[in-house]
Amino acid sequence: SAMLMCFGIFGVVGNFIFGHLINANMLRAVVLYPIMLLVIFAMINFLGFSYYFMIAIIVFWGAVHSAGLLVSQTWIMDDAGDAHVFANSLFVSFSNLGITIGSAFAGWFIYKIGIENLFMVSFMFTALALVSILIKVKLYKSPLKELV
């Protein structure tokens, strides 16, 4: 339970950090978010056997993970125009749908190949999120040069 508390405390810190990143360059923050999660999931997969490493990574993971709602809601609201209430309701609905589908798929994955491979599901969904972000950026002709 102490690690869960650290995860949450550093989640608040992560919200402040990503708030600054969003203010500096929203598109960069949106693309950086899933990339950072992919790095975290890969590190957990390869180095998760180390007790001390996991203590350190849980702090970093909490900071990045908790910022996801801030990043996604900010990006949605940026595209909402005058329909902020409608966009917010879509955000909440699709967040809940994503949690439901992700939990069901992860449960099935655990049942089929075991809990020790659960991070593969997280990695896969995060990679799909990154691909969908890049497709949106390309379709709506957002300048990719903003990313660097």
Side-chain angles (χ1 to χ4, degrees):
S1 67
M3 293 314 304
L4 187 56
M5 182 65 110
C6 285
F7 186 91
I9 290 170
F10 281 93
V12 173
V13 172
N15 282 336
F16 285 107
I17 292 169
F18 266 89
H20 290 293
L21 290 173
I22 289 168
N23 284 334
N25 186 323
M26 185 177 55
L27 184 57
R28 186 181 303 145
V30 168
V31 173
L32 182 64
Y33 175 75
I35 291 171
M36 290 177 78
L37 279 179
L38 288 171
V39 169
I40 290 168
F41 294 148
M43 289 171 41
I44 289 172
N45 188 51
F46 293 113
L47 301 170
F49 60 86
S50 169
Y51 176 77
Y52 296 107
F53 172 78
M54 283 306 297
I55 290 173
I57 199 65
I58 283 174
V59 167
F60 184 59
W61 186 14
V64 173
H65 173 78
S66 297
L69 295 174
L70 178 67
V71 169
S72 57
Q73 188 166 27
T74 302
W75 201 29
I76 288 170
M77 289 302 179
D78 187 59
D79 287 340
D82 293 332
H84 290 285
V85 174
F86 178 67
N88 192 48
S89 66
L90 285 178
F91 168 75
V92 171
S93 297
F94 279 92
S95 293
N96 288 332
L97 181 63
I99 290 167
T100 302
I101 292 171
S103 297
F105 192 76
W108 177 82
F109 200 87
I110 290 169
Y111 174 73
K112 290 294 184 182
I113 67 170
I115 197 162
E116 64 277 0
N117 297 308
L118 184 59
F119 282 97
M120 284 189 221
V121 175
S122 299
F123 193 90
M124 182 183 65
F125 274 111
T126 305
L128 287 172
L130 178 59
V131 167
S132 70
I133 289 167
L134 294 175
I135 289 171
K136 181 191 182 279
V137 167
K138 184 74 171 166
L139 286 176
Y140 291 98
K141 311 258 189 281
S142 297
L144 290 174
K145 63 184 174 194
E146 284 185 24
L147 296 176
V148 285

